[in-house]
Structures are given as structure tokens and as C-alpha cells.
Amino acid sequence: MKSSFRSAKWVAGALALAAIVGTVNTVRAERKKAAIASDAAQKVYVEPGKYDEFYAFVSGGFSGQISVYGMPSGRLLKIIPVFTQNPENGYGYNEETKPMLETSHGFVPWDDSHHPWLSQTDGADDGRWVFINANNTPRIARVDLGTFRTVEILEIPNSGGNHGSPFGTMNTEYLVASTRFSVPIPNKDIPIKNVKDFKGSISFIKVDKEGHMSVAFQLIAPGISYDLAHCGKGPSHGWCFLTSYNSEKAHTLLEVNASKNDKDFIAAVNWKAAEQCVANGKAKEVKASYTSNTLTESNHSATSKKLSTVKTLSVLDCPESIYYVPVAKSPHGSDVDSTGQYFVAGGKLAAQITAYSFEKMIKAIADKKFSGDFEGVKILDYASVVAGEVKKPCLGPLHTEFDGQGFGYTSCFVSSEVVKWKLGTWEVVDRMPTYYSLGHLMIPGGNTMKPWGKYVFAMNKITKDRYLPTGPELNQSAQLIDISGKKMELLLDFPTVGEPHYAQGIAADLVVKRQVKIFKLEENKHKYAVKSEAESKVVREGNKVHVYMGMIRSHFSPDNIEGIKVGDTVFFHVTNLEQDWDIPHGFSVIGANTAELLVMPGETNTYVWTPKADGIYPFYCTDFCSALHQEMQGYIRVSKTASAIKFGTNKDL
Ligand code: RUQ
Ligand code: CUA
């Protein structure tokens, strides 16, 4: 570590920050009246019956899910359950989807999801899948945009927290996932103060043609905290750029102890070089325990597979795979512009946005322009790689997206604004206040080579005084800003679900054309499916009872079942026999200790019930499916364990 990074300016920094926050609060009150565009209403008005131009996939943060909005209307279209059980449709409760939430720690029914990332082909969003991270128990999920369902979840071994994840390459060859907390690798019982022995992993997740994910290899790097990445494209394809913090390697009170050094690092990772090292046998296959969960739509069932080894590559055995680039202190993510020539990072505590030139970086590596090394990783000389610093940017710059027209848009958390600046001249050309404390922002396609431009979708952490109050907790919010003109114009303000972090936007037609409307009944390979009402039956296997049940407007078959006994475990395998778009049926039994089923046309789901006392138990359909939905119901007769009541359904009784 070079001593120039050691000047302890954090005290001054923290005081300055406190002063800034005070000013910002006063500014807020004045800004509340800030004008919105006079034709804003027209610009966001999507006529009833008309579609929005864009989809926005917004992370749910502590809700663990993804919410889908139409843009520009701000209409909430759907919440896709990913890492958190969802009683609304039985995700994570029914037998088919429970395996999706299995991990090496057992069943984990919740997570904290931050960064959706749309699959790309040739550097442009292609509308196939959206990936998203679980921050707490390290995982990456893949959602199929044909069905809007989570179809795969891969656990990431050797990670102490999967925040900087998942960020993909321009053809979705890999997703990069870095560890936020350094930990011993392999994990073991050592004193916390031995933090110097902790390591950081940067995982490369291979995505095959069908979307299936696997851990290709993990770079084992110095144990600092790695954060958000964006990968190169065009000229910089083959590289990914991740910011990091805590080069101090603090293990307590990080807010102070990890802000001492003047500079942190961007890790520039050459994944093609790493691939080469792996091919040359420099990686080690090590023991690791993690899971790979997949939902197969042919039988509508998920399976969880336990994996036991992973390939790790120490950066010391492949020094050409990683370089550190000095960056203003406490950065929070690195972004690559649409041409792939620049990568950009803001320093939260430094009021500085720096753009680096990829070309200069390659030259600096060739010319060995190093200013030192950090635990064996070469540090590039700052002046040799920097392309420019944005002049008079803002306070607390975080994330940058690009419009494809030569401008960057950076979110500024402390000064609550979006700043628009020009690539090349590094001048700020416009500012737009946000309400308040802006985290991420998103431009549809703004992280790709082909942005649609048009809007900035800003995600704010604090909404005090923006909406009707709702008790101690107020919602986070999104704001829509028109960027099609010279000046940014605020159009719309709306609350979000959970705490949005990053989002991704895509032209609607790319997703609309892939929509699956029904699952074909004749292709249903679920072991307990029925293809018609005639196939419905009950089968007893000891004290297990399997009910093969069909649903069609507006009845269940069977709808009368007798001969169930206290002590039985009853499996209701319920098939929706409809073959019509948007006709789900629901299923639930009084007193059952689980969530309902919500079964899509042509699909089979399983509901487990253990009756505890004899009596008559009604069940019914929970989704208003027809004028006779209220009549869609049935009865189960439960008898004492020793009783000899005849076992059967309508036809036998
Ligand atoms: S975070 S506000 Cu992506 Cu989790 Cu930046
Ligand atoms: Cu089926 Cu309501």
C-alpha cells in the first residue's frame, strides 16, 4: 500500500458531509415546489387499453422480489416472487416450488435482492431473461421473461454476501458476482481480528444457451469489500470493472475505519485472461457446498441439486487477470459507457466522478505504469488511466447510466439530484433535483451499447412529505424524468414495492412477443397431473393420501372426498384443466398451515394438508374465475383414525 493513500482526511470529510446534509435538508423544503413539465401529464398518460412503451424491472430490496412497472405510466404490472415465499400464489409454499429456496443452509424463505440485469446479445438487451442477486444468502436467480417466473436459483459458494451481483457480459457469456464481506476461504473458525487472512471472491457464472447457470471459476483476490460491477463491451469486451472499498481492511465500525484512505480501488478483471489460466490448469478444484435449483416447466416442478466442488483461481497464480485502478474514496459501483471506451466511478465521500479510458488502461498495463501493489495485485498509476474528472459534479455521486448520445447521468445521494454530463468535455450540462436521496437510476438500455434513452427512472430512498403519511415507515419511490430534450423534465412520482435498488428497462415489444399464455395440458408431465376430469381419483398409500384433482370453470373434480383420517397427510395435486389465457384457479382448505395454490392453465401444483381433528372441511377456489366462482367449492370428510368409513370420491360415495 502506497503511503499517499494513507492521509487520514476522513474526519474533515465526515464533518463536511454533516454540514452538507444540513444544507440539503433546507434545500429540500424549498424544492418541494419545484416545477414539473407543463405537459407532464400528457407525457405519462397511457390511454386505457393501450400498452406502455417500456417494461421496468425493479428490484424489491428487502422484499426479495422483482416488481414490474409499465413506463411511462408507472403502472405496477406484476410482482415476480424470486427469493421470498409468496403466499399470493404459493411460490415457496407448494411442493413444486419449495426446492427453489433450498440452500446449503437449508430452506431460506427470504432475501434482499438489489440488482436486476437483463440478458444481452451483441451488447443489447434481448428480452430473454432477467437475473437478480440475493445479497444475504449469496444466490443468483434467473427469471424467464416468457412466463415471468423464477426458473433457476444458483447459490454462490465462498461468498460472504452477494451484493456486487449479477452483472453480465455483452453476450451473456458470464455474470460476475463479487463478495461484499471478505471471509476466510475456505470458511473456518478463526479470530475476527485476523481479518488480514480473509479473502475476497469474484465469481464468474457461466450462462449457457438455455440460460442454465453454473460457477465457471472464482478468482480469489485480496480480502477487501468488492462492490458493483459493469462489464466491458465493444472494445472493452473481455473485462469487468468492480469497485471495492475498505482497502483499510477494517473489521469494526467501518463507517469510520473504512474511510481513512484517500483512495480505494476499481478492480479491473480480465476474464479472458482468467479463462486462459483456468485452461492452463492454474485453477484448483476445491470442496464447497452449494445448491443449484431449477424449475422445469414440462412437469412444473423444481429440483434442488447439491454441488460439492468449485474451481478457484488465486490471482497470485494469474496476475494478468486483475489490476487495481485508484478511485476516489468509498466508491459504490463502476459503470461502462455505451461505446465501451470509458468506465466511470463516483466516490461517495469525495464529490468526484472519474472517467477512465479503457485504451489508456491497456497501454498503462503494457508500459508497466504501476504505482505500487496491494497484496500482490498491481496498482495502475492514476494519471496514466484517467480520461477525465467531471467538473463540479455533485455530492455523494453513486451510479451512472448512459443515453447513447454522449451523455452520462449520475445519481447523487447526498445532494439528491441527477446530473447530466458530457463524455469527453466532462462538463455538467444539466441537473434535476429528486425527492429525496437518490440511490440508483436507470435509463432503458442505459447499461448496454444500445440505450433507448428517453427516460431516467430515479429510485429514491426517502419520501418524507411526498405522499400521504403512512405511520412510522414511509415508502421508497421512483421518479420518471424525461431526457429526450436538452433539459431534463420531471414527469411522475410514484411509490415502489420494497426498497428498489437497481432497475432495468427494455422496449416492451421485445418481451411481449415472447409471452407464454397457457401451458399445454397434453404436454404436462407432472407425475400427478390429470388430463381430464375422468382421470381424477384418490389413492391411499398407508397414511398418505394422494388426491388427483382437476379444476375447470367452475368446479373441482372431485369435490366430495370421504375416508380421510386424522393422522393422514393429504396431498392435493391440483391441475388446472383450462386452456385459455389468464384463467387461473385457486385452491385452499380451511385451517391448512400453508398458503393457497394459484394454478395456471395446464399446470399442476401440490398442496399438503394434515387434518388434526375429525369433521367436515370445506375447500374453495380463491381466484374470481367466472360468474359462478363463488360456487367453486367442495367438502372433505375427516374421520377418527380408527374409523372404517369408506374411502373415495363423488363416484364411489
Ligand atoms: S446498491 S444505491 Cu446497488 Cu445495493 Cu447502490
Ligand atoms: Cu375457479 Cu374461482
Side-chain angles (χ1 to χ4, degrees):
M1 186 80 210
K2 288 257 300 190
S3 60
S4 61
F5 298 148
R6 284 247 167 250
S7 56
K9 285 190 189 151
W10 69 271
V11 179
L15 288 174
L17 199 61
I20 288 160
V21 173
T23 331
V24 167
N25 283 334
T26 352
V27 172
R28 274 179 189 166
E30 285 158 27
R31 274 188 189 162
K32 207 195 154 194
K33 291 173 264 138
I36 56 163
S38 56
D39 55 350
Q42 250 175 29
K43 285 185 167 165
V44 300
Y45 183 69
V46 178
E47 226 176 283
K50 289 265 155 62
Y51 287 168
D52 277 283
E53 189 182 350
F54 295 100
Y55 281 98
F57 295 93
V58 183
S59 73
F62 44 62
S63 86
Q65 319 293 45
I66 293 178
S67 41
V68 188
Y69 290 86
M71 258 177 31
S73 71
R75 299 189 285 211
L76 175 63
L77 303 173
K78 189 173 190 67
I79 295 173
I80 306 171
V82 184
F83 295 114
T84 300
Q85 281 177 299
N86 187 38
E88 186 183 332
N89 69 352
Y91 176 84
Y93 288 95
N94 62 44
E95 296 309 293
E96 286 73 14
T97 54
K98 269 175 12 193
M100 292 302 280
L101 302 180
E102 281 300 332
T103 73
S104 63
H105 307 268
F107 184 75
V108 176
W110 169 87
D111 220 296
D112 181 16
S113 60
H114 286 210
H115 306 112
W117 193 85
L118 286 166
S119 55
Q120 293 183 14
T121 303
D122 295 333
D125 290 328
D126 58 28
R128 288 178 295 168
W129 310 298
V130 61
F131 300 90
I132 192 164
N133 67 321
N135 192 356
N136 183 52
T137 302
R139 287 170 285 172
I140 296 177
R142 177 170 57 96
V143 171
D144 188 305
L145 294 183
T147 56
F148 281 59
R149 307 217 280 192
T150 303
V151 290
E152 188 175 0
I153 295 183
L154 175 69
E155 192 177 356
I156 314 292
N158 292 328
S159 173
N162 184 40
H163 185 252
S165 162
F167 297 92
T169 53
M170 62 179 279
N171 285 302
T172 319
E173 295 95 337
Y174 288 108
L175 303 170
V176 60
S178 64
T179 186
R180 164 185 181 175
F181 301 97
S182 58
V183 285
I185 297 178
N187 210 341
K188 55 176 186 265
D189 166 15
I190 61 173
I192 295 169
K193 66 173 180 342
N194 290 10
V195 65
K196 60 175 189 330
D197 298 331
F198 296 3
K199 292 278 173 228
S201 65
I202 302 171
S203 305
F204 282 81
I205 311 302
K206 186 93 207 142
V207 181
D208 74 13
K209 291 270 166 298
E210 275 71 53
H212 183 67
M213 302 181 284
S214 56
V215 184
F217 57 89
Q218 300 189 300
L219 284 182
I220 306 301
I224 50 184
S225 296
Y226 294 93
D227 208 7
L228 311 199
H230 271 92
C231 293
K233 46 211 178 208
S236 51
H237 183 51
W239 289 75
C240 294
F241 307 94
L242 305 77
T243 56
S244 67
Y245 56 99
N246 196 13
S247 52
E248 297 82 354
K249 299 193 94 167
H251 58 85
T252 175
L253 283 177
L254 261 65
E255 63 171 325
V256 171
N257 295 327
S259 305
K260 289 185 172 165
N261 295 346
D262 228 18
K263 290 258 193 288
D264 281 296
F265 303 121
I266 292 176
V269 175
N270 182 343
W271 55 261
K272 287 201 173 156
E275 265 181 342
Q276 201 51 54
C277 288
V278 173
N280 294 345
K282 294 198 174 149
K284 284 197 234 26
E285 188 99 12
V286 300
K287 282 212 176 76
S289 135
Y290 58 113
T291 57
S292 163
N293 309 331
T294 2
L295 176 77
T296 313
E297 291 293 16
S298 59
N299 60 8
H300 311 294
S301 303
T303 47
S304 175
K305 204 162 90 195
K306 284 195 175 12
L307 301 172
S308 56
T309 62
V310 70
K311 271 201 184 97
T312 59
L313 174 65
S314 164
V315 296
L316 301 177
D317 295 330
C318 188
E320 64 274 34
S321 67
I322 185 168
Y323 297 91
Y324 283 157
V325 179
V327 63
K329 69 167 154 184
S330 306
H332 185 37
S334 166
D335 304 286
V336 178
D337 85 306
S338 344
T339 67
Q341 297 178 63
Y342 300 108
F343 54 102
V344 172
K348 275 184 302 195
L349 298 183
Q352 188 177 326
I353 305 167
T354 310
Y356 301 85
S357 155
F358 176 72
E359 211 184 301
K360 284 177 88 176
M361 184 192 81
I362 293 300
K363 185 153 189 308
I365 293 170
D367 297 348
K368 304 203 161 42
K369 288 274 174 57
F370 303 125
S371 61
D373 76 278
F374 184 86
E375 296 187 13
V377 176
K378 291 258 177 305
I379 302 171
L380 285 160
D381 169 53
Y382 181 76
S384 307
V385 289
V386 77
E389 284 176 10
V390 176
K391 294 167 197 134
K392 302 203 196 98
C394 62
L395 301 173
L398 297 179
H399 305 291
T400 302
E401 293 260 295
F402 301 89
D403 64 0
Q405 312 289 321
F407 296 97
Y409 295 74
T410 301
S411 58
C412 303
F413 180 79
V414 178
S415 53
S416 288
E417 61 185 329
V418 177
V419 296
K420 173 181 177 183
W421 50 271
K422 197 164 165 47
L423 284 143
T425 69
W426 321 114
E427 265 158 350
V428 171
V429 297
D430 196 18
R431 295 171 186 278
M432 169 59 69
T434 62
Y435 308 90
Y436 307 97
S437 302
L438 172 59
H440 276 274
L441 44 60
M442 172 273 275
I443 292 174
N447 65 321
T448 71
M449 298 189 81
K450 298 195 184 100
W452 283 275
K454 223 161 170 174
Y455 302 108
V456 159
F457 186 96
M459 287 156 276
N460 300 297
K461 305 291 188 190
I462 295 172
T463 54
K464 258 178 217 164
D465 76 22
R466 296 298 286 179
Y467 307 117
L468 288 172
T470 53
E473 193 202 3
L474 304 173
N475 228 341
Q476 283 74 19
S477 84
Q479 286 185 298
L480 194 71
I481 298 165
D482 182 350
I483 56 166
S484 59
K486 237 180 128 192
K487 289 274 204 201
M488 290 184 271
E489 289 186 325
L490 178 59
L491 301 179
L492 190 68
D493 219 17
F494 56 95
T496 49
V497 181
E499 184 194 0
H501 290 253
Y502 196 30
Q504 292 268 273
I506 184 171
D509 52 334
L510 288 173
V511 175
V512 169
K513 65 177 188 212
R514 305 191 65 251
Q515 292 309 290
V516 171
K517 295 186 171 160
I518 57 159
F519 296 109
K520 290 201 185 111
L521 195 56
E522 76 260 23
E523 290 172 5
N524 182 334
K525 300 227 164 58
H526 193 289
K527 189 173 167 210
Y528 295 97
V530 294
K531 303 292 170 78
S532 69
E533 294 184 62
E535 292 180 13
S536 67
K537 59 183 174 188
V538 286
V539 174
R540 177 178 279 288
E541 288 167 5
N543 58 3
K544 288 200 174 90
V545 176
H546 292 279
V547 181
Y548 294 66
M549 182 181 271
M551 305 193 277
I552 197 155
R553 274 161 292 178
S554 290
H555 58 273
F556 295 94
S557 54
D559 69 354
N560 282 197
I561 302 166
E562 296 198 357
I564 306 290
K565 293 178 193 171
V566 174
D568 284 346
T569 301
V570 189
F571 297 84
F572 295 94
H573 307 287
V574 189
T575 302
N576 181 345
L577 299 170
E578 305 280 354
Q579 290 288 271
D580 206 354
W581 190 22
D582 191 32
I583 308 290
H585 292 286
F587 177 85
S588 201
V589 182
I590 188 170
N593 304 105
T594 185
E596 68 157 345
L597 298 179
L598 191 66
V599 192
M600 297 305 126
E603 185 186 25
T604 307
N605 280 171
T606 301
Y607 184 97
V608 182
W609 179 56
T610 46
K612 291 169 193 75
D614 54 323
I616 297 293
Y617 290 80
F619 61 93
Y620 73 103
C621 169
T622 54
D623 186 301
F624 206 109
C625 48
S626 75
L628 295 169
H629 152 80
Q630 189 71 8
E631 284 76 2
M632 191 165 173
Q633 63 163 59
Y635 288 115
I636 307 155
R637 177 182 178 186
V638 175
S639 306
K640 292 217 160 35
T641 313
S643 79
I645 298 297
K646 192 171 167 216
F647 178 68
T649 67
N650 304 52
K651 21 186 184 200
D652 324 297
L653 304 174

